[in-house]
Amino acid sequence: MLFHMSMAAERPEQAARMIAELWDGRAYRFPPVAEGSWIAMAGDDRGSAIEFYPLGTELHEAGGESAVRAAEGAKVRNGPVHLAIATALSVDQVKAIAARHQAPAKVCARGPFHVIELWLEGSFMFEVLTPEMQAEYRASMHFAGWEGFLAADEAALARAAA
């Protein structure tokens, strides 16, 4: 179960406000970590949240609390991490929010389920799942469902190779 995550953004407040809007949640300043940090809170029973720190913020292990400091040198933008989140909104509503925040958004297939691929600041991907997409996800993302998907994929590859 994922409760919260953190990530860097050039505009932490705007990022938090966009995600909060997708969740019908709220965005707040987040002073515990770094000046200029913001948090998007879903307001659900799990306390789901995403913390947005200013680009260049680094977390480091320390003797007590984790140490936070600004990165020296180049600021990394793209990486392998992404996050899938649920929304109660429709595809058109998600795309409208993304457009207001200048964030590209499009529907994509992820094997047995679909997502709205939304790019925060052109460098971090959120997979946003509408209620229908969440049903697809839950129907396939368990052992038997994924094994069935893989078997069908292998059969399709074998037919294509023949």
Side-chain angles (χ1 to χ4, degrees):
M1 164 99 37
L2 179 69
F3 289 106
H4 74 266
M5 69 157 294
S6 64
M7 62 177 291
E10 284 184 31
R11 296 173 304 280
E13 180 179 356
Q14 181 179 358
R17 290 187 185 284
M18 180 177 68
I19 298 304
E21 193 173 345
L22 291 169
W23 281 342
D24 194 25
R26 295 183 185 165
Y28 298 100
R29 288 184 315 98
F30 192 70
V33 175
E35 181 68 31
S37 297
W38 279 73
I39 186 169
M41 299 179 78
D44 61 11
D45 61 350
R46 292 176 305 281
S48 300
I50 302 175
E51 301 164 10
F52 294 93
Y53 308 153
L55 188 62
T57 300
E58 292 182 347
L59 302 177
H60 294 267
E61 192 277 329
E65 292 282 333
S66 297
V68 178
R69 61 181 179 236
E72 295 179 24
K75 295 179 180 180
V76 176
R77 295 284 299 152
N78 294 67
V81 179
H82 77 279
L83 184 65
I85 63 173
T87 185
L89 304 175
S90 70
V91 170
D92 288 340
Q93 290 171 309
V94 170
K95 286 183 174 182
I97 290 168
R100 278 197 304 279
H101 291 275
Q102 296 85 43
K106 63 183 175 187
V107 175
C108 296
R110 294 291 189 259
F113 60 92
H114 292 82
V115 301
I116 303 167
E117 192 176 278
L118 184 152
W119 285 89
L120 174 68
E121 299 177 349
S123 64
F124 189 88
M125 182 181 62
F126 281 89
E127 293 175 333
V128 182
L129 286 77
T130 65
E132 296 80 14
M133 293 170 178
Q134 293 167 48
E136 286 180 337
Y137 183 90
R138 286 191 300 273
S140 63
M141 290 303 289
H142 49 78
F143 300 144
W146 196 254
E147 290 165 6
F149 165 72
L150 291 175
D153 187 56
E154 289 172 12
L157 288 174
R159 282 192 302 276

